Each structure stands twice: as structure tokens, then as C-alpha cells.
Amino acid sequence: MTTVTEDSELAGLRDALGLLKDREQVAQRLLESSAKHSFDPDKELDWDAPVEDGKWFWPPELVSLYDTPLWRRMSEEQRFDLARHEAASLASLGIWFEIILMQLLVRHIYDKSVTSAHVRYALTEIADECRHSMMFARMIEKGGAPTYPVTKLNHNLARVLKTVSTTPGSFACTLLGEEILDWMQRLTFPDERVQTLVRGVTRIHVVEEARHVRYAREELRRQMVTAPRWERELTRISSGEAARVFSIAFVNPQVYTNVGLDRREALAQVKASGHRREVMQSGAKRLTDFLDDIGVLRGAGRRLWKSSGLLA
């Protein structure tokens, strides 16, 4: 396999978005931003404050059953409870995903110069993700809902992914996990209807994830230009399959049972909900536009993205 590893060799290369940026310059800017805008959730957030009566754990419009016939039949208390459990489900999904991401980043830098800014930023991001995972776990405990692990099948599929994923596939999957949740959290942290603690958690995550998204986007662009054809094709298929799995795992169906709803009815109404479909596609649109521009959404991969419901 022929790959390009030095920025000097990449000079003048471009994709549909323009010239590729210098890897070291991008990493240096991200390191500078990290030095100015990084947070310690244990110190930044008031974990001892009581849960606030009458406030949501997740904006109601982002709850999976919002505006369905079942939602309209639910009591206000049950709606609040579902939002609390879905927040725990999403936080559980976020921890699972970030543990995968940390392993993918370690694999990415394994053969690279340990003194480069690119590697130093990857290690900085891994440290961010460690704090995020602990922060999400603490938020779940504070809310009093259980953790919601993914299915054994998806857990083991991810085991395969993080072991064999190629570099462009790794960064495409990274963006899938980061950008949809980021879109939702950008709606959450300014929302005064939401618990102060949840708003603080999402604010920290949004600020720090912006750097992670930039790093992944720049590297995916580079990889899609320099990778051999077979690897680009594999990236299209693997990212489409990841989108399909992610959309299914996004909310654990056990949340419906735990708040006293019929799971089968709830799942059917979520699947039929035009509002939910619009939320998920709106959350993914910035990502799918980007992936389309750089040539990821083609052929069978595009069909998988459509089947996931994330691409209109």
C-alpha cells in the first residue's frame, strides 16, 4: 500500500473543499486552543447541588417520542422521566463511543513521530475524552437513572471495528459519533428549561468537541485524498454500516420499559415519527454534507446511510 506521510509531499494536493491544510499547523492551533479552553468537570460543575424540580434532563423536542400520539397520552411526570432516562441512555452511548475513539486514536498515532504536534494533539484529545467519559458517568449517577449499555452484538461489532478499522474509516466513524450528539448538545446547553448540571456538562462537551471535530475532519480529508482506492471504498461501506448501527443504538429501548411504556408500541411510534426523522437528519446534515463533498457518500455506502435514516 502506498501512503503519503509527510506534509511536504502533500503540498498542492486538494479535494472538493480546497487545498489540504498542513497537518502540523492544524495541530498546533488545536493545541493552543486546548491550552486556553479546557475544563476540569470535577471543579467546573457543582455536583453537590440538588436536582432541580420542574426542569428537564434533556430538551423535550429531542426526546424520541416527542409529538407522537403516545407522547400526547403521557403525563407530564412520565415525559420528564423519559427525558431523564434518555439522557442517561445517550450518556451511556457517549461513554461507549469515546472508549472506542480513544483506542482508534492510539492506533492512529502508533507509527507516527511522538514529538510531532499531530501526535501531541491526539494525546490531548485522548485526555479530553477520558474526562468526558468520567463526566458522563457522574451525570448518569446524579440523575438516578441506570446505565444503558449497547447490545452484545453492537458491543462486539465495535470490538472488531476498533481492531481492524483503517485510518479513514476510523475518522469517518469518529465524526458520526461526535457531530450528531454535538448538534443536540448545542441546543441543550443554552436551554433554561434543562437542569443546570446537564447544561454545564453539554457546554463543556461542545467547547472541547469542536476541536475534536476539526482534527477528525482535516485528517479524514487527507486520508480520502491519499488512501488507495480499496481503502476509500472500504471507508464508504464501513461508515454506512456504522451509521446504520448508530441510528439503531441511539436510544436504548429499555428506557421505554423503565418508564412504564409498552416497548413495542413506543418503538413503532418513534419509527413512524416525522418529527424524530427530522431531528436525526438535521443533526446529521452538517456531517453528511461534508462527507458528500469529500466523496464518502457514494455507491453502496450511500445506500446504507439512507437506510440508517440519517440521510434524506
Side-chain angles (χ1 to χ4, degrees):
M1 180 178 76
T2 301
T3 57
V4 178
T5 57
E6 298 296 329
D7 280 324
S8 60
E9 296 179 69
L10 289 173
L13 288 181
R14 63 171 61 238
D15 60 10
L17 298 178
L19 286 172
L20 292 176
K21 296 177 176 60
D22 181 87
R23 177 189 265 166
E24 286 294 280
Q25 289 181 2
V26 169
Q28 191 59 52
R29 285 195 291 269
L30 293 174
L31 284 166
E32 291 168 3
S33 176
S34 296
K36 295 176 182 176
H37 305 292
S38 290
F39 304 94
D40 180 349
D42 288 339
K43 296 177 180 178
E44 292 281 341
L45 303 174
D46 185 359
W47 295 99
D48 295 326
V51 171
E52 298 162 289
D53 291 337
K55 286 199 171 185
W56 297 83
F57 271 83
W58 201 239
E61 296 82 4
L62 299 181
V63 175
S64 61
L65 280 169
Y66 181 80
D67 201 31
T68 63
L70 185 53
W71 176 267
R72 290 189 282 274
R73 297 203 308 268
M74 291 165 63
S75 67
E76 192 73 355
E77 180 181 1
Q78 203 170 27
R79 293 173 181 174
F80 272 87
D81 204 26
L82 179 59
R84 181 171 64 91
H85 281 264
E86 288 202 10
S89 175
L90 285 169
S92 300
L93 183 71
I95 294 168
W96 173 69
F97 177 77
E98 287 179 338
I99 290 171
I100 296 168
L101 170 57
M102 286 186 272
Q103 294 177 75
L104 293 175
L105 283 171
V106 168
R107 288 182 62 229
H108 172 62
I109 64 176
Y110 187 70
D111 295 315
K112 293 179 171 50
S113 170
V114 294
T115 59
S116 69
H118 185 74
V119 168
R120 281 191 288 121
Y121 178 73
L123 293 170
T124 301
E125 181 170 331
I126 291 166
D128 289 346
E129 299 295 16
C130 285
R131 293 194 305 274
H132 294 172
S133 295
M134 292 185 287
M135 176 176 69
F136 288 160
R138 201 168 179 183
M139 187 187 81
I140 293 170
E141 286 189 319
K142 185 69 176 182
T147 57
Y148 285 96
V150 298
T151 65
K152 286 185 178 180
L153 174 61
N154 288 339
H155 184 79
N156 287 316
L157 283 173
R159 192 189 304 280
V160 174
L161 168 72
K162 64 187 176 59
T163 303
V164 304
S165 177
T166 64
T167 297
S170 295
F171 282 104
C173 292
T174 293
L175 289 168
L176 169 65
E178 288 180 338
E179 295 214 29
I180 298 173
L181 285 171
D182 180 74
W183 179 84
M184 291 186 169
Q185 290 174 335
R186 287 177 184 273
L187 297 177
T188 301
F189 80 78
D191 192 335
E192 295 184 358
R193 299 173 300 170
V194 175
Q195 296 280 337
T196 300
L197 178 65
V198 175
R199 294 174 63 196
V201 167
T202 55
R203 178 183 61 85
I204 288 173
H205 199 248
V206 162
V207 171
E208 297 188 342
E209 283 296 306
R211 300 191 294 265
H212 303 177
V213 168
R214 172 73 185 282
Y215 184 79
R217 281 182 170 231
E218 294 295 340
E219 194 59 25
L220 180 56
R221 288 180 62 195
R222 177 185 305 272
Q223 295 295 331
M224 288 301 291
V225 168
T226 60
R229 180 176 178 179
W230 71 264
E231 198 167 13
R232 295 195 301 271
E233 290 295 337
L234 179 61
T235 298
R236 293 174 181 123
I237 297 294
S238 64
S239 70
E241 177 62 13
R244 189 190 66 80
V245 170
F246 184 82
S247 65
I248 293 170
F250 202 76
V251 174
N252 191 313
Q254 185 63 33
V255 300
Y256 306 123
T257 302
N258 287 352
V259 299
L261 300 174
D262 181 273
R263 181 190 301 201
R264 185 172 298 180
E265 181 185 12
L267 286 170
Q269 293 201 15
V270 170
K271 186 176 181 180
S273 170
H275 174 81
R276 185 60 175 178
R277 185 164 51 252
E278 182 180 350
V279 164
M280 296 302 290
Q281 290 178 359
S282 295
K285 189 175 189 310
R286 184 169 176 267
L287 171 61
T288 54
D289 285 350
F290 169 73
L291 295 178
D292 206 10
D293 285 341
I294 65 171
V296 174
L297 299 187
R298 294 181 184 172
R302 187 181 189 90
R303 291 192 290 274
L304 283 167
W305 273 89
K306 279 186 169 290
S307 72
S308 75
L310 298 176
L311 179 65

